[in-house]
Amino acid sequence: IVFSLTDKSTSSTMRIDALSFFHVLLLSHPPQAFQPHMQVLLPPVVACVEDTFYKITSEALLVTQQLVRVMRPQGQAATAGGFDPKPFVREVFSVTLKRLKATDIDQEVKERAISCMGHMVCHLGDHLGAELQGVLAIFLERLKNEITRLTAVRTITLISASPLKINLSSILPEALSVLGSFLRKNQRALKLGTLACLTALVTHHAASIKPAALEPVLSELPALVDESDMHVSQVSVTLLTCMANACPSSLAKISSSVLPGVFRLVHSPLLQGGALAAILDFLQALVLSKTSNLGYSQLLKSLTDPFHRSQSSADITVIHRQSYHSVARCVAALSSACPKETPGTVSGLIQEVKNPGSPESARVLALLCLGEVGRSGSLGGSKEVQGVILEAISSNNEEVKTAASCALGSMAVGSLNDYLPFLLKEISSQPRRQYLFLHSLKEVISACPAPSLSPHVESIWALLFQNCECQEEGTRNLVAECLGKLALVNAAQLLPRLTQQLKAGSPLARSTVVTAIKFTFVDQPAPIDSLLKDCIGDFLKTLQDEDINVRRVALVMFNSAAHNKPSLIRGLLATVLPHLYKETQIRKDLIREVEMGPFKHTVDDGLDVRKAAFECMYTLLDSCLEGLDVLQFLDHVEEGLKDHYDIRMLTFLMLARLASLCPAAVLQRLDRLIEPLKATCTTKV
């Protein structure tokens, strides 16, 4: 490297390549590997920074930036590891400063000089002494320049988070007002960079920021907290959280400016994931910051108000289902931040549910809030709460029933020993409301960590098997989902039991077990995968079951495996495909005529099975194309082109896919495929 950079006869391309290689080398090896050789490595790189050709300068600045990190890795003392960066600081600093001050150079060199100097200040700021303030002043200049502002924003972010606690007070007030103005700009990257920069400044330098200096920033935030861009909203709310933690006095006027926007976001159907988590943190920080006019009760009132307005015809705003869950999470976050207020809140929510005069939306919300508060385990085994939930589950209103079943599941997650026995007892004793209680159980199995569920697995398993032959298909599917998710808790013990159930049991029980296996295929690699690989063949044998319903659910399970875990079935395709293709054929014995008054109506009982089989074929094209004999596959696609409307739609999609994946095979069959296509195009609608 040194030779390539210093030899006079080296071409500029060679130098650029040598610098690029050195940059990659520095990124991929620990700093200690280079520290002993610094005297040899640094001078040629510094010479390249001064080169007249801008591309060499720009690459050399990137390398210098990495060398600065090598001299003193973040989080180490000045001379850790016996290496002292002091002798090299002066020489790197002077060449970088020269490039930083120059205004008549290439854009890329400008940006990299800013970034390189930023790394120097961040890692070696305590060695720069009096020069430091001059450098910060240049950064402020670059921040005001439209061309370099984004790089300057990122660099200030880096410096403000430096463990060296660089003193930024000389540029802070002006920088804050410039950064505030950037939040108005249309450039999204600049907005996000500025918000990250402000968050770093507020977090690390709160002591030197006066509340008044943050006003230009706060005045721009309401426009950014909006559902049209969730990511920008999330970062803005994170900034507000940092302000509430670091300098709460700056938020005194927030209730009229940003807060309405935050509440609009909470009530928005689009709120979820990261943005919701950011709002939960913000509300907790806000209520703990004790800002005068934003106590627990005011925040609670603002959150729940829209649900208490009676749904009159004049009130056009329909509240979306997602916002019920978001508000419930917010209420639970507030109550966990102020545990003293929780009992009062809980009794208020219970009264709300009991009160027959309160609007449906308020009762649904109160139930969901009880569930979320209970999820943190702060309800205990209150008999009153159990009574209220049972009453709500017996209600005539579907929304209230569903909310109650959801709440019961959440409470049981919070305190298993109090609520799970109660839940299991209700499932066995209340056949009419079983579906709702099973929903609660599903929530418990999905959300509880395996160790806390383990003691209860046997009782849940026995109860589910009592109900796996239920006549209602919806209930059976729920039982299957619970069985599948429960099998994930202790796969080694429970999977063999599911396999045994295939041999015993009625067709309904078999279909439930096969559906349960579908719910053990999770997207990520899981410990159950190796066990599934051994027994998936037994479950796929149900494709030959005499019961048509079992064959249908087996196809759905096969489709799910091909989609989520194709590795499980690739080795079995040779044995499974003949049975799959068999299910795509129209069977005359399953078609019957039903007389409806003077009309005769044809019913095809095999349609659902055929549809499931064609869906499997479509999925196999995506995940297991190499295991298919394409010409044999096309034979069945051709049959599907003459079948029912729904199946024709699927086969058209398959043909389009095949035409792009293996055009040669499609061309061989083109003459036979054209006829059915032509027939579809010429039918009179």
Side-chain angles (χ1 to χ4, degrees):
I1 293 174
V2 174
F3 173 75
S4 306
L5 296 180
T6 49
D7 189 44
K8 291 279 182 288
S9 58
T10 317
S11 70
S12 52
T13 334
M14 178 67 187
R15 278 193 199 172
I16 291 170
D17 287 347
L19 285 165
S20 294
F21 168 70
F22 190 21
H23 182 232
V24 174
L25 199 65
L26 284 167
L27 281 176
S28 54
H29 289 69
Q32 291 72 21
F34 302 102
Q35 285 177 350
H37 311 293
M38 202 51 100
Q39 276 146 326
V40 187
L41 292 170
L42 198 60
V45 176
V46 169
C48 286
V49 173
E50 301 207 282
D51 198 279
T52 47
F53 184 38
Y54 76 93
K55 280 201 168 160
I56 294 182
T57 310
S58 140
E59 280 297 333
L61 280 166
L62 264 190
V63 174
T64 313
Q65 182 173 312
Q66 286 309 319
L67 283 173
V68 168
R69 291 174 62 176
V70 167
M71 286 186 208
R72 191 208 220 156
Q74 199 115 39
Q76 284 193 4
T79 54
F83 177 77
D84 182 14
K86 201 163 186 149
F88 309 107
V89 173
R90 181 68 26 222
E91 122 183 67
V92 177
F93 179 73
S94 55
V95 286
T96 313
L97 186 63
K98 188 170 153 194
R99 289 294 178 193
L100 183 65
K101 284 181 172 167
T103 47
D104 54 348
I105 47 173
D106 183 76
Q107 165 80 8
E108 195 177 75
V109 178
K110 271 187 198 166
E111 288 182 358
R112 287 186 178 172
I114 295 172
S115 180
C116 179
M117 187 56 96
H119 275 76
M120 270 199 85
V121 175
C122 176
H123 290 265
L124 304 164
D126 48 355
H127 287 291
L128 300 180
E131 307 269 7
L132 182 62
Q133 295 309 321
V135 173
L136 292 177
I138 297 178
F139 282 151
L140 190 57
E141 288 305 311
R142 298 288 174 268
L143 191 64
K144 295 174 186 170
N145 180 333
E146 193 173 335
I147 297 172
T148 52
R149 63 190 179 191
L150 185 55
T151 315
V153 166
R154 287 175 181 157
T155 304
I156 292 175
T157 312
L158 184 78
I159 296 171
S160 60
S162 162
L164 300 177
K165 304 270 185 290
I166 309 293
N167 179 7
L168 297 175
S169 51
S170 59
I171 62 165
L172 260 181
E174 200 171 345
L176 284 172
S177 74
V178 175
L179 288 168
S181 69
F182 288 169
L183 296 176
R184 243 174 281 150
K185 301 286 186 270
N186 239 346
Q187 192 185 348
R188 190 166 183 269
L190 182 64
K191 267 186 206 166
L192 287 169
T194 304
L195 288 166
C197 181
L198 287 165
T199 307
L201 285 171
V202 171
T203 312
H204 298 281
H205 298 274
S208 36
I209 298 179
K210 295 185 179 67
L214 285 171
E215 280 183 9
V217 174
L218 275 171
S219 63
E220 299 303 333
L221 283 177
L224 298 183
V225 180
D226 183 67
E227 62 180 40
S228 59
D229 189 333
M230 275 300 178
H231 185 54
V232 170
S233 299
Q234 180 183 335
V235 185
S236 308
V237 173
T238 309
L239 169 59
L240 284 168
T241 310
C242 291
M243 286 183 184
N245 287 329
C247 33
S249 53
S250 61
L251 295 182
K253 300 177 184 157
I254 182 179
S255 53
S256 56
S257 57
V258 187
L259 262 188
V262 174
F263 289 131
R264 270 200 304 281
L265 209 55
V266 173
H267 297 138
S268 153
L270 305 175
L271 182 70
Q272 56 182 9
L276 176 57
I279 287 183
L280 296 178
D281 289 344
F282 169 58
L283 290 172
Q284 285 181 320
L286 192 59
V287 81
L288 292 174
S289 72
K290 305 276 190 290
T291 309
S292 55
N293 53 351
L294 297 169
Y296 180 85
S297 45
Q298 285 94 332
L299 289 172
L300 207 56
K301 187 172 183 306
S302 310
L303 281 169
T304 54
D305 248 8
F307 298 86
H308 289 274
R309 300 185 194 128
S310 57
Q311 302 286 315
S312 60
S313 52
D315 187 19
I316 313 159
T317 53
V318 177
I319 303 167
H320 194 275
R321 180 169 292 176
Q322 176 63 35
S323 54
Y324 285 97
H325 293 280
S326 305
V327 172
R329 295 272 305 274
C330 292
V331 171
L334 282 175
S335 86
S336 72
C338 308
K340 286 183 189 149
E341 305 276 359
T342 308
T345 308
V346 170
S347 57
L349 291 169
I350 291 175
Q351 291 315 316
E352 188 70 65
V353 179
K354 283 181 170 174
N355 175 6
S358 56
E360 175 202 311
S361 56
R363 291 171 66 197
V364 168
L365 179 69
L367 283 164
L368 292 174
C369 290
L370 280 173
E372 288 299 335
V373 172
R375 193 185 280 269
S376 60
S378 51
L379 282 181
S382 152
K383 284 275 174 284
E384 187 182 8
V385 175
Q386 291 181 1
V388 167
I389 294 283
L390 277 182
E391 205 177 305
I393 281 184
S394 324
S395 148
N396 298 330
N397 186 317
E398 284 302 320
E399 292 293 329
V400 173
K401 278 190 203 169
T402 314
S405 100
C406 188
L408 181 57
S410 300
M411 290 172 196
V413 172
S415 46
L416 269 181
N417 297 332
D418 292 322
Y419 287 96
L420 193 62
F422 163 72
L423 177 57
L424 298 179
K425 184 175 114 258
E426 291 298 325
I427 292 178
S428 10
S429 63
Q430 300 272 0
R432 288 188 52 215
R433 300 187 209 125
Q434 208 173 38
Y435 186 76
L436 292 164
F437 288 121
L438 281 167
H439 257 295
S440 309
L441 184 60
K442 184 183 86 176
E443 173 64 26
V444 175
I445 296 173
S446 311
C448 270
S452 54
L453 255 186
S454 299
H456 305 280
V457 165
E458 289 302 325
S459 52
I460 299 177
W461 189 263
L463 178 78
L464 288 171
F465 266 110
Q466 284 166 21
N467 293 298
C468 72
E469 298 183 6
C470 175
Q471 293 302 315
E472 281 278 318
E473 187 175 2
T475 308
R476 272 205 319 275
N477 284 344
L478 252 184
V479 169
E481 189 170 347
C482 292
L483 280 171
K485 290 187 170 168
L486 197 58
L488 292 169
V489 174
N490 184 351
Q493 193 188 344
L494 301 178
L495 253 186
R497 291 199 204 170
L498 280 176
T499 322
Q500 283 164 3
Q501 281 296 324
L502 282 179
K503 302 180 183 72
S506 63
L508 289 178
R510 288 201 300 278
S511 74
T512 306
V513 171
V514 173
T515 308
I517 287 297
K518 183 178 85 174
F519 291 103
T520 60
F521 306 136
V522 280
D523 324 357
Q524 294 82 19
I528 196 171
D529 292 353
S530 53
L531 300 164
L532 274 173
K533 201 166 179 106
D534 299 336
C535 65
I536 189 90
D538 296 333
F539 291 104
L540 288 173
K541 283 183 186 146
T542 50
L543 286 169
Q544 304 160 51
D545 199 283
E546 65 268 15
D547 184 84
I548 187 166
N549 191 40
V550 176
R551 292 205 302 277
R552 181 180 62 78
V553 294
L555 285 165
V556 173
M557 182 267 289
F558 179 52
N559 189 12
S560 176
H563 188 70
N564 295 311
K565 288 275 162 73
S567 55
L568 292 176
I569 55 156
R570 281 202 180 103
L572 302 167
L573 281 179
T575 49
V576 175
L577 281 174
H579 303 299
L580 170 65
Y581 290 148
K582 189 176 164 195
E583 294 305 327
T584 62
Q585 289 154 11
I586 297 176
R587 284 178 49 184
K588 295 276 189 289
D589 55 326
L590 292 175
I591 297 175
R592 55 200 167 88
E593 278 196 342
V594 179
E595 287 191 8
M596 298 174 85
F599 304 108
K600 284 191 174 173
H601 181 59
T602 312
V603 177
D604 183 351
D605 292 330
L607 178 62
D608 284 343
V609 178
R610 289 206 305 284
K611 211 187 294 184
F614 278 107
E615 279 167 3
C616 284
M617 287 170 65
Y618 183 67
T619 307
L620 288 172
L621 277 186
D622 267 345
S623 54
C624 304
L625 182 67
E626 65 288 345
L628 302 174
D629 170 353
V630 177
L631 290 171
Q632 187 190 8
F633 189 91
L634 271 166
D635 287 341
H636 298 283
V637 171
E638 196 184 320
E639 291 305 308
L641 286 169
K642 304 166 191 159
D643 204 326
H644 182 271
Y645 170 81
D646 290 350
I647 290 173
R648 286 211 304 274
M649 290 293 284
L650 265 171
T651 46
F652 293 152
L653 289 172
M654 275 192 252
L655 257 185
R657 190 121 188 74
L658 280 162
S660 64
L661 290 172
C662 27
V666 176
L667 276 174
Q668 283 183 35
R669 293 290 171 83
L670 202 55
D671 47 341
R672 283 157 55 181
L673 295 169
I674 288 294
E675 269 319 302
L677 286 176
K678 186 176 162 191
T680 306
C681 291
T682 51
T683 33
K684 287 204 167 87
V685 182

